[in-house]
């Protein structure tokens, strides 16, 4: 009930929840004769959407030749380790979140947790039999599809709904174990491209965005022209070609019964669309291509489909997050970068065609960066005869990136969201306890602040967001709007925005300490600062705000009691406690703070 109030005050879920079967109409505008006819039409519509994107027919032989030319074949094969009862028990009770959403059989993880011990014994036997026989049970390949309104368009239009897939609860347990085995094998053979940031430990949308910003600024440091080409793939997960994927799996060392199991997992899948609160169910329809969404194994398999893409593009540096593909192009002049952008776009379109993926040229676009604010002449870039749009800013993995890296568009969007969250907090805190109000703050404000704060947290307009954060703190502390907020950050255990930036930068440095040099490495004699990190040189002011360049100054200013932590988790815990005790209001205040710590 509390979150319903919060979402309503934030402008979400204001429309009454309607039964989709009573709202949608047929393509000719007529009403459906029954609820079952409505969900059947939706099911057909969802499956035909993959065909409607006009994905080209894959050239499996050529795709495999490209892969072999780019990457060597694995020198060993994956042999799946049998499941153990204790492993399955842990998967059920702790490793998989107990979501309340029911699968097509009316089962969820909460129900499995009600009797984990006997289920673990039964599942272990069933899973190991599947591994031995190389067969994935057909009963676990039926997905429940819940149509969710996208938030735009007419509610009666079937294309205005997004299919949310829910795989069987038992399949989640099985596939979680399979994905951990597959991931461990691929890491041991160094098969997965370093340019792929999805479905990998320590990688995220933030790490990819950080890499994009770093490449852009480094190119400008070298006085090169730099552009970002953002590719949009139509229904990428839904049109993945099984034959191409199978041939690539063999190249990476997945063969024999293991390959048969993954082939069985991909093929002859079916889906059922539900409506009227689950009372109306469509007829099952079988899918002939694509990988199942909501499946952890399918996510990894799709990553392998795109794995050799960076090696096929010579004129650009490719970075990927699942099906989000970005190409960074650098050149010495505007004319040269225009030529390389055209070359890159053509190579990308050709590679996607060979691998059976559809590049949506209407949504594919590019940005040409000039950090001084002076725009270059408009470029003419096209692919397959279609001109690509040149934008001054774009949405990229939850960020708003502009050609000057000012982050003002991102600050505008973020300020609006935090402003609505503050309004909701003001209404909610009148009715709830202090602890609940604090929880609401972390869910609605802190979650927005911490997303990529290291990238935009030192831009020119960062204080706009910080003022809104102080407003939110005053609201949950129930103090007047003109009361100083600094003591209440400490009292409530809330990190200030500058502290969030310091935390993220320090965590980056600690995770990449081997990439930095200490003074003892540079000088042949010992000094009192021998253990300090050596700074990274740069010319531009924009460069000084990059995470890896800020890192040494941030890390060197930390107390010894924090940097002496033995593990990364201990380091993070100590640093967060220290930053709560010292609510810094800006970055310079932190650098000027000197705490003598007894060793």
């Amino acid at each position: 009930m509390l979150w319903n109030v919060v979402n309503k005050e934030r402008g979400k879920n204001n429309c009454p929840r309607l039964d989709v079967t009573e709202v949608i109409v047929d393509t000719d505008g007529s009403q459906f004769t029954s609820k079952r006819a409505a969900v059947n039409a939706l099911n057909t519509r969802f499956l035909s959407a993959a065909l409607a994107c006009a994905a080209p027919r894959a050239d499996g032989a050529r795709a495999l030749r490209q892969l072999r030319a780019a990457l060597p074949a694995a020198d060993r094969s994956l042999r799946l380790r049998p499941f153990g009862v204790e492993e399955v028990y842990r998967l059920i009770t702790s490793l998989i979140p107990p979501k309340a959403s029911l699968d097509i059989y009316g089962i969820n993880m909460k129900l499995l947790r009600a009797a984990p011990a006997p289920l673990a014994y039964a599942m272990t036997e069933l899973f190991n039999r599947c591994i031995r026989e190389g067969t994935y049970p057909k009963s676990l390949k039926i997905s429940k599809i819940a149509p969710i309104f996208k938030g735009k368009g007419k509610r009666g239009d079937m294309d205005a709904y997004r299919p949310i897939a829910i795989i069987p609860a038992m399949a989640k347990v099985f596939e979680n174990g399979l994905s951990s085995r597959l991931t461990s094998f691929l890491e041991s053979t160094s098969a997965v491209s370093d340019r792929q940031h999805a479905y990998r430990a320590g990688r995220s949308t933030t790490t990819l965005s950080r890499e994009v910003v770093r490449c852009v600024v480094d190119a400008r440091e070298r006085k090169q022209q730099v552009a970002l080409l953002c590719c949009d793939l139509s229904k990428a997960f839904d049109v993945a070609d099984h034959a191409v994927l199978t041939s690539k799996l063999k190249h990476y060392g997945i063969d024999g019964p293991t390959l048969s199991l993954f082939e069985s997992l991909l093929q002859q899948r079916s889906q059922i669309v539900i409506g009227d609160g689950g009372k109306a169910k469509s007829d099952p329809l079988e899918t002939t291509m694509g990988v199942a969404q909501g499946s952890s194994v399918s996510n990894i398999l799709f990553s392998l489909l795109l794995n050799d893409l960076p090696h096929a593009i010579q004129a650009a540096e490719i970075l990927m997050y699942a099906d989000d593909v970005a190409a960074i192009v650098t050149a010495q002049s505007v004319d040269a970068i225009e030529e390389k952008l055209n070359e890159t776009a053509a190579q990308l379109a050709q590679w996607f065609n060979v691998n059976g993926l559809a590049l949506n040229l209407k949504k594919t676009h590019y940005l040409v960066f000039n950090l001084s604010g002076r725009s270059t002449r408009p470029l003419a870039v096209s692919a397959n005869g279609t001109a690509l749009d040149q934008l001054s800013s774009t949405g990229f993995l939850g960020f708003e990136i502009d050609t000057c890296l000012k982050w003002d568009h991102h600050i505008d969007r973020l300020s609006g969201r935090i402003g609505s969250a503050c309004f909701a907090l003001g209404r909610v805190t009148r009715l709830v306890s202090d602890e609940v109000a604090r929880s609401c703050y972390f869910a609605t404000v802190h979650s927005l602040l911490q997303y990529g704060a290291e990238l935009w947290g030192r831009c020119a307009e960062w204080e706009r967001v910080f003022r809104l954060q102080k407003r939110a703190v005053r609201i949950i502390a129930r103090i007047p709007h003109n009361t100083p907020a600094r003591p209440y950050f400490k009292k409530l255990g809330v990190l200030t925005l500058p502290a969030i930036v310091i935390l993220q930068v320090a965590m980056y440095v600690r995770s990449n300490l081997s990439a930095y040099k200490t003074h003892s490495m540079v000088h042949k004699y010992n000094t009192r600062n021998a253990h300090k990190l050596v700074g990274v040189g740069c010319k531009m002011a924009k460069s000084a705000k990059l995470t890896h360049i800020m890192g040494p100054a941030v890390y060197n200013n930390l107390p010894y009691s924090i940097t002496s932590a033995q593990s990364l988790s201990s380091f993070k815990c100590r640093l967060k406690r220290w930053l709560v005790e010292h609510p810094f209001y800006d970055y310079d205040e932190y650098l000027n703070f000197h705490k003598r710590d007894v060793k």
Side-chain angles (χ1 to χ4, degrees):
M1 292 177 64
L2 171 66
W3 290 118
N4 287 338
V5 172
V6 171
N7 288 329
K8 183 177 181 180
E9 297 299 340
R10 294 174 69 192
K12 297 183 178 181
N13 301 335
N14 283 342
C15 298
R17 183 169 293 181
L18 300 175
D19 176 17
V20 65
T21 59
E22 296 180 353
V23 179
I24 61 170
V25 295
D26 207 344
T27 52
D28 58 0
S30 61
Q31 297 289 332
F32 290 101
T33 56
S34 65
K35 295 180 181 293
R36 187 177 180 85
V39 290
N40 276 331
L42 264 177
N43 202 10
T44 303
R45 192 71 172 181
F46 288 151
L47 287 181
S48 62
L51 300 174
C53 75
R57 186 178 182 85
D59 187 345
R62 187 176 176 185
L64 186 58
R65 287 198 300 271
Q66 289 179 342
L67 172 61
R68 288 172 175 169
L71 298 170
D75 57 357
R76 59 183 185 273
S77 298
L78 170 61
R79 182 181 177 88
L80 290 176
R81 171 173 47 84
F83 282 79
V85 175
E86 292 184 0
E87 177 189 5
V88 176
Y89 183 86
R90 287 197 307 273
L91 286 169
I92 296 173
T93 57
S94 59
L95 298 182
I96 302 178
K99 294 185 178 179
S101 52
L102 300 173
D103 62 19
I104 197 63
Y105 303 111
I107 301 172
N108 57 20
M109 289 306 301
K110 284 187 175 181
L111 183 58
L112 296 186
R113 286 192 175 192
L119 287 174
Y121 279 96
M123 288 185 185
T124 300
E125 179 60 32
L126 293 171
F127 295 165
N128 288 335
R129 182 176 177 181
C130 293
I131 291 175
R132 290 193 302 271
E133 298 178 0
T135 304
Y136 197 88
K138 191 171 183 179
S139 59
L140 299 187
K141 294 192 287 184
I142 305 177
S143 297
K144 170 185 169 183
I145 305 296
I148 302 296
F149 183 59
K150 295 179 181 178
K152 55 184 178 180
K154 298 181 179 179
R155 287 184 174 269
D157 186 2
M158 288 189 285
D159 292 331
Y161 291 84
R162 179 179 292 107
I164 304 299
I166 303 172
I167 65 173
M170 188 179 293
K172 289 183 181 180
V173 180
F174 190 18
E175 294 186 18
N176 195 288
L178 289 177
S179 61
S180 65
R181 288 160 171 76
L182 179 58
T183 301
S184 297
F185 173 76
L186 294 174
E187 288 179 352
S188 68
T189 58
S190 300
V192 182
S193 171
D194 194 51
R195 308 293 178 83
Q196 177 60 265
H197 287 252
Y199 319 124
R200 303 182 67 186
R203 302 292 188 93
S204 65
T205 53
T206 302
T207 61
L208 188 148
S209 301
R210 179 201 299 148
E211 192 64 23
V212 168
V213 173
R214 178 174 181 169
C215 290
V216 169
V217 177
D218 284 352
R220 296 304 297 163
E221 279 273 352
R222 300 190 301 270
K223 297 184 179 181
Q224 290 184 317
Q225 298 293 328
V226 57
L228 174 67
L229 178 63
C230 300
C231 301
D232 183 272
L233 296 177
S234 300
K235 303 291 182 181
F237 281 80
D238 297 328
V239 301
D241 188 276
H242 292 168
V244 173
L245 189 51
T246 299
S247 63
K248 291 192 175 187
L249 288 176
K250 288 182 181 179
H251 182 84
Y252 292 118
I254 292 90
D255 208 344
T258 302
L259 180 62
S260 299
L261 178 63
F262 289 129
E263 281 185 298
S264 178
L265 182 148
L266 289 170
Q267 298 169 356
Q268 296 181 329
R269 301 192 69 93
S270 59
Q271 64 181 43
I272 296 175
V273 174
I274 56 100
D276 192 17
K279 297 177 183 178
K281 294 183 180 180
S282 71
D283 297 325
L285 288 181
E286 188 172 297
T287 59
T288 57
M289 57 183 179
V291 296
Q293 298 198 42
S295 163
S296 57
V297 173
S298 295
N299 293 337
I300 301 173
L301 297 181
F302 182 82
S303 295
L304 292 178
L305 180 63
L306 297 182
N307 195 52
D308 58 307
L309 173 60
H311 301 274
I313 310 300
Q314 291 80 32
E317 182 174 351
I318 303 297
L319 296 169
M320 303 176 291
Y321 189 89
D323 61 336
D324 288 303
V325 178
I328 300 174
V329 182
T330 58
Q332 293 297 332
S333 65
V334 175
D335 292 338
I337 202 167
E338 184 177 40
E339 181 181 346
K340 291 185 73 173
L341 274 171
N342 278 286
E343 180 184 352
T344 300
Q347 289 178 352
L348 285 167
Q350 182 186 42
W351 191 93
F352 289 132
N353 282 336
V354 169
N355 286 268
L357 298 172
L359 180 62
N360 188 345
L361 296 176
K362 292 183 179 180
K363 292 185 179 181
T364 298
H365 53 270
Y366 64 96
L367 288 78
V368 180
F369 293 89
N370 196 318
L371 306 186
S372 64
R374 296 189 300 272
S375 58
T376 59
R377 66 170 176 82
L379 306 185
V381 180
S382 62
N384 294 340
T386 302
L388 304 183
D389 292 331
Q390 180 177 349
L391 305 181
S392 59
S393 65
T394 185
F396 184 76
L397 298 176
F399 297 97
E400 293 291 330
I401 296 182
D402 60 276
T403 54
C404 299
L405 290 183
K406 290 183 178 179
W407 299 100
D408 48 350
H409 296 281
H410 186 79
I411 295 294
D412 289 340
R413 181 169 172 266
L414 185 60
S415 298
R417 297 178 68 184
I418 296 178
S420 65
C422 287
F423 179 77
L425 287 174
R427 298 291 295 272
V428 170
T429 49
R430 304 173 188 174
L431 308 171
V432 299
S433 65
D434 293 346
E435 187 59 33
V436 172
R438 184 174 178 272
S439 297
C440 290
Y441 164 84
F442 278 101
T444 58
V445 176
H446 184 80
S447 59
L448 297 175
L449 293 175
Q450 70 174 357
Y451 184 65
E454 60 182 272
L455 300 177
W456 55 265
R458 290 194 63 203
C459 70
E461 298 192 23
W462 70 271
E463 288 184 296
R464 286 172 53 195
V465 179
F466 188 35
R467 284 194 294 269
L468 287 170
Q469 185 192 19
K470 288 188 283 188
R471 175 185 168 190
V473 167
R474 292 187 183 102
I475 290 172
I476 63 174
R478 298 178 174 87
I479 57 176
H481 66 89
N482 56 354
T483 304
R486 192 190 291 257
Y488 294 93
F489 278 99
K490 181 177 179 179
K491 180 179 178 181
L492 295 169
V494 172
L495 293 177
T496 63
L497 177 56
I500 294 174
V501 175
I502 292 165
L503 173 65
Q504 293 182 354
V505 173
M507 288 296 296
Y508 171 83
V509 174
R510 184 59 181 245
S511 302
N512 299 274
L513 269 180
S514 59
Y516 291 94
K517 294 181 179 180
T518 62
H519 285 278
S520 61
M521 297 178 182
V522 177
H523 305 290
K524 296 182 180 180
Y525 52 88
N526 288 327
T527 65
R528 62 178 179 178
N529 293 321
H531 64 286
K532 299 283 187 179
L533 301 180
V534 177
V536 181
C538 63
K539 300 176 183 177
M540 301 189 306
K542 277 281 194 303
S543 300
K545 297 177 182 180
L546 294 178
T547 303
H548 71 287
I549 293 181
M550 288 172 58
V554 169
Y555 195 82
N556 289 340
N557 210 51
L558 292 175
Y560 178 77
S561 59
I562 297 175
T563 57
S564 61
Q566 296 299 311
S567 65
L568 184 63
S569 59
S570 176
F571 173 82
K572 182 178 181 180
C573 185
R574 294 181 188 183
L575 178 54
K576 287 181 72 172
R577 284 201 302 263
W578 186 77
L579 289 173
V580 167
E581 290 294 320
H582 302 86
F584 298 107
Y585 264 34
D586 60 54
Y587 180 68
D588 291 332
E589 180 185 349
Y590 165 74
L591 292 182
N592 294 327
F593 180 86
H594 296 286
K595 174 116 179 131
R596 293 191 177 276
D597 197 20
V598 180
K599 296 186 180 181

